[in-house]
Amino acid sequence: MFKKTNPQSSLFDPNMIVPGILPADDWSYIYREKIYPLIDEDKFRHLYDEGWGAPNKSIKMQVSLLIFMSIEEFNWREAVYQFQRRIDWMNATHTPFGEAKIDHTTLFKFYQRIEQDDTAYKLFKELTSSFIIECGVSTRKQRVDSFFMHGWLKILSRYGLFKETIRVFLQNLRKQKPGLYEEIKDELSQNYLEKEFDLTEKDKDKAHRRISEMAKDLYRIKQAFANHKQIKHYQGFKTLIIVFEQQCVVKETSDKTECDNLAEIEIEVRDKPVGEKIISSPHNTDAEYTRKRDQKVVGHKGFLTETCDPENPVQFITDPNLEKATHSDSQEISRIEDRLEENSSKPEELYGDAGFVNGKSILEAESKGIELEGPSSGRSQSIEDFADEERALDVADFKVKIEDDSKELVVLSCPNKQEPIDQTRSKKTGKLLIHFDNEKCKECPLNKRCPVKIGVRKSTLTIDEEQYAGAERHHKYMNDPDYRKQCSTRAGAESLVNEVANSHGARRSRHRTEGRSRLQLIFASIACNVKRYINYRLECAQNQPKLAKVRV
């Protein structure tokens, strides 16, 4: 049942019982007076029943504990243990002596409740908006970066994935249906619930052989329980079916074949798994596998945006988000811009690295009134290679103009100052087809470096506005040292990622679901903003006497 926190002060408040128990400049006073009142409990009302059940624990207190957990990287039990012993936590949350009691399961269930919708993100948005207004922070310039949030699971090979998927299902089957477990275990190629259980096999030939045997075991289990009224709804069984369909294919027979005839069935293990969302572990079906250079990741990708105007007294995170590990930066940048605009934090300039910046994202940002700054993706950033006289030419080496009204690209001449014969737009692809004199192109000294394709009758340049925007940005970045210096503003986002990921516990997920991992990143971002706000307020308080003295 929903119940708001009682605003009445208690005689057992730490400061009432022991005046001066904390220093006057302790951080808890700033949290108590400035941040605690901003937590609007009515925004959490829909998570509880209005008339049934026991009254909820103070929502302000629980939200505060989740923030403190992220500030100091505590787990559930540690946070509850500290709450009973930390006077500054009690003072910050208006908690009297003797009432700082909450079970870790209660706190975790509250966390599960707010996973259901975007309540936590709205809390982040409201707190950040208040901090920005009070501190006079400009959102005109912002920067964005991404990082991998690692899952707590081990990266499994196909051998380990098959073995663990079967083990997880059989373990649950033995608990729920011991009779059926006894029937199926003798039909399998090995005892998957043995005590000495290894998910690796160093002998490659043996590993390939065992993978084939386990693929047949997956199929045998699938056929045995596919029509069982209860077992077919087990989450472990559903995961097993998906793993089998993604990793294996049945040859020469149909699904109607009985398990007894398995010796006649050929189960082929695919070279690469198929499907939109490939399962990497049966313990966390949301976590996905990806690689970035030498880094192997099973988990998710986090995105962080913060203000970066050098005139700001303090910088704040304006948008956190979490997506699957395979989600590209260029896909996310447009969504980040939309959220910033929705949050009334739309920047004039947004700085990103080459992963975020390409021709398409540059034009999309421009249509929203945002200048997306940074080097364009897909191109070498070697100044020496770009300065090479024999480098390959691209569309930005052509002389063009952009029509003011239609924003359509018009090619005026090639790098060798040859004017095009005509220009049309393909109805099929939407790209511009610019034709040049074929004979002149054949004799041109630049034809080996030029992107124009010399045909039998015509020489054609295929281009669109996105391609040109990306190429033009590359030329600007390579030719203009002042612009490169301006784009170096983005480098500060690396320290932001380091702070949130390593100082506030967002480098590794504590959870099995994407929703709760996203919640972990949101509270890490709230904790970072709260810490920055408190530090700024403390710094202002320390500088006040000095400023007064100067004025006198």
Side-chain angles (χ1 to χ4, degrees):
M1 183 175 69
F2 178 76
K3 179 184 177 183
K4 295 186 72 171
T5 302
N6 188 351
Q8 182 69 40
S9 298
S10 171
L11 292 174
F12 296 99
D13 189 277
N15 271 313
M16 295 289 288
I17 294 180
V18 187
I21 192 171
L22 292 170
D25 60 350
D26 190 78
W27 70 270
S28 61
Y29 289 106
I30 297 175
Y31 187 94
R32 175 191 180 106
E33 295 168 7
K34 295 291 185 179
I35 301 173
Y36 188 79
L38 295 176
I39 302 172
D40 186 356
E41 293 183 310
D42 284 323
K43 298 292 176 64
F44 298 82
R45 182 186 292 271
H46 66 284
L47 302 175
Y48 296 90
D49 192 282
E50 288 291 342
W52 295 94
N56 58 273
K57 285 281 188 180
S58 168
I59 290 173
K60 287 190 174 186
M61 178 188 69
Q62 293 183 86
V63 169
S64 297
L65 287 179
L66 292 175
I67 295 173
F68 299 161
M69 278 178 62
S70 294
I71 289 177
E72 303 196 30
E73 292 189 89
F74 289 142
N75 59 33
W76 307 103
R77 292 179 183 271
E78 289 171 340
V80 170
Y81 179 85
Q82 292 290 333
F83 187 37
Q84 299 176 30
R85 291 159 177 81
R86 292 278 294 269
I87 295 174
D88 54 345
W89 285 22
M90 295 182 202
N91 185 51
T93 57
H94 292 268
T95 304
F97 280 129
E99 294 185 19
K101 296 177 181 178
I102 183 171
D103 189 76
H104 69 276
T105 56
T106 302
L107 189 60
F108 181 68
K109 286 178 180 178
F110 174 72
Y111 191 83
Q112 288 180 307
R113 286 178 186 270
I114 57 179
E115 177 197 2
Q116 299 170 12
D117 54 27
D118 61 349
T119 305
Y121 185 80
K122 289 179 180 177
L123 172 68
F124 164 84
K125 184 170 65 173
E126 291 172 5
L127 290 177
T128 302
S129 178
S130 298
F131 296 162
I132 287 173
I133 293 171
E134 184 172 343
C135 299
V137 172
S138 169
T139 59
R140 188 173 62 87
K141 293 183 178 181
Q142 297 184 45
R143 56 194 171 202
V144 61
D145 203 3
S146 62
F147 69 100
F148 288 116
M149 177 185 276
H150 297 264
W152 54 270
L153 304 170
K154 185 176 180 180
I155 297 175
L156 297 177
S157 62
R158 181 173 277 172
Y159 177 93
L161 175 64
F162 283 10
K163 200 169 185 181
E164 184 67 358
T165 300
I166 295 172
R167 188 193 70 82
V168 169
F169 168 72
L170 292 178
Q171 192 174 48
N172 187 43
L173 182 67
R174 184 174 65 179
K175 180 180 178 181
Q176 304 292 338
K177 306 284 185 182
L180 292 177
Y181 167 74
E182 292 297 330
E183 290 179 14
I184 193 68
K185 76 170 186 177
D186 294 332
E187 300 179 18
L188 304 178
S189 62
Q190 63 175 302
N191 180 11
Y192 288 93
L193 299 185
E194 62 183 352
K195 292 183 179 180
E196 295 181 2
F197 191 79
D198 189 7
L199 293 176
T200 60
E201 177 56 65
K202 295 180 180 179
D203 187 328
K204 289 186 177 181
D205 293 334
K206 187 175 179 180
H208 285 307
R209 186 169 64 254
R210 290 294 301 120
I211 287 173
S212 299
E213 292 173 358
M214 287 189 287
K216 288 191 174 184
D217 288 343
L218 286 169
Y219 182 74
R220 191 186 299 276
I221 294 171
K222 173 178 177 286
Q223 292 299 98
F225 301 112
N227 297 318
H228 194 282
K229 291 183 179 180
Q230 294 176 320
I231 295 176
K232 69 180 181 180
H233 298 295
Y234 289 1
Q235 186 58 48
F237 183 71
K238 292 179 180 178
T239 301
L240 185 145
I241 297 296
I242 296 172
V243 167
F244 177 79
E245 292 175 349
Q246 289 179 347
Q247 303 281 349
C248 309
V249 61
V250 180
K251 306 290 286 186
E252 179 191 344
T253 187
S254 67
D255 288 342
K256 295 181 181 179
T257 306
E258 296 294 333
C259 292
D260 293 340
N261 300 327
L262 187 61
E264 303 174 8
I265 301 172
E266 183 183 352
I267 307 295
E268 182 180 305
V269 179
R270 303 179 191 271
D271 292 334
K272 290 186 178 180
V274 297
E276 292 183 4
K277 196 169 186 179
I278 305 301
I279 291 178
S280 301
S281 169
H283 299 289
N284 184 357
T285 56
D286 288 336
E288 294 193 28
Y289 172 82
T290 190
R291 293 185 66 174
K292 183 178 180 181
R293 295 186 284 274
D294 295 332
Q295 186 180 13
K296 298 179 181 179
V297 179
V298 171
H300 303 91
K301 181 183 275 191
F303 296 88
L304 293 170
T305 310
E306 73 166 350
T307 59
C308 63
D309 195 318
E311 296 182 2
N312 286 341
V314 60
Q315 311 295 354
F316 290 115
I317 299 171
T318 53
D319 180 68
N321 190 37
L322 190 84
E323 296 291 342
K324 59 185 181 180
T326 54
H327 191 70
S328 70
D329 295 352
S330 58
Q331 283 180 288
E332 183 64 17
I333 188 65
S334 180
R335 302 178 188 179
I336 291 172
E337 293 162 354
D338 292 339
R339 288 194 298 269
L340 291 175
E341 185 169 7
E342 184 181 340
N343 298 348
S344 302
S345 300
K346 187 177 84 168
E348 296 175 13
E349 299 174 12
L350 182 59
Y351 294 88
D353 61 21
F356 293 96
V357 183
N358 57 35
K360 182 179 180 181
S361 61
I362 290 170
L363 295 180
E364 285 182 352
E366 188 179 321
S367 68
K368 300 171 186 175
I370 299 173
E371 293 293 332
L372 181 59
E373 308 289 4
S376 183
S377 63
R379 294 169 172 85
S380 170
Q381 294 180 24
S382 169
I383 296 175
E384 291 77 11
D385 291 346
F386 185 80
D388 188 351
E389 293 182 357
E390 295 300 317
R391 70 170 176 83
L393 302 175
D394 60 23
V395 293
D397 290 298
F398 288 69
K399 185 178 179 181
V400 305
K401 73 172 182 179
I402 307 294
E403 297 289 355
D404 294 333
D405 298 331
S406 63
K407 300 296 181 183
E408 185 170 324
L409 184 74
V410 178
V411 176
L412 302 178
S413 66
C414 74
N416 201 30
K417 297 183 171 46
Q418 181 190 165
E419 295 183 2
I421 299 172
D422 58 51
Q423 174 174 312
T424 59
R425 189 176 291 275
S426 169
K427 294 181 180 179
K428 186 176 181 180
T429 64
K431 293 190 175 185
L432 292 170
L433 304 177
I434 296 93
H435 299 117
F436 292 89
D437 186 283
N438 209 35
E439 294 302 321
K440 290 182 179 179
C441 285
K442 288 179 180 178
E443 297 173 0
C444 179
L446 303 177
N447 59 13
K448 292 183 180 180
R449 299 163 51 204
C450 185
V452 174
K453 294 182 179 180
I454 301 174
V456 177
R457 289 177 295 177
K458 288 183 179 181
S459 297
T460 307
L461 173 68
T462 305
I463 186 179
D464 60 19
E465 286 76 10
E466 291 178 4
Q467 279 179 291
Y468 179 76
E472 191 274 335
R473 172 61 56 83
H474 178 62
H475 279 244
K476 181 179 180 181
Y477 186 81
M478 302 308 292
N479 286 323
D480 189 347
D482 291 334
Y483 183 69
R484 289 200 297 274
K485 185 176 180 180
Q486 178 187 346
C487 290
S488 66
T489 302
R490 188 219 64 86
E494 302 286 350
S495 63
L496 166 67
V497 166
N498 181 63
E499 182 179 1
V500 173
N502 299 328
S503 298
H504 297 293
R507 176 63 69 189
R508 186 169 294 277
S509 174
R510 304 189 191 107
H511 309 286
R512 295 187 180 186
T513 67
E514 185 176 308
R516 269 177 258 163
S517 297
R518 181 177 292 108
L519 207 54
Q520 181 181 339
L521 178 60
I522 290 173
F523 272 101
S525 302
I526 293 174
C528 184
N529 279 351
V530 166
K531 181 188 70 178
R532 291 180 176 187
Y533 172 77
I534 290 174
N535 288 339
Y536 171 71
R537 293 280 303 184
L538 289 172
E539 184 181 344
C540 290
Q542 291 170 0
N543 291 335
Q544 272 183 351
K546 297 177 183 179
L547 293 173
K549 189 173 182 179
V550 170
R551 287 170 186 162
V552 172

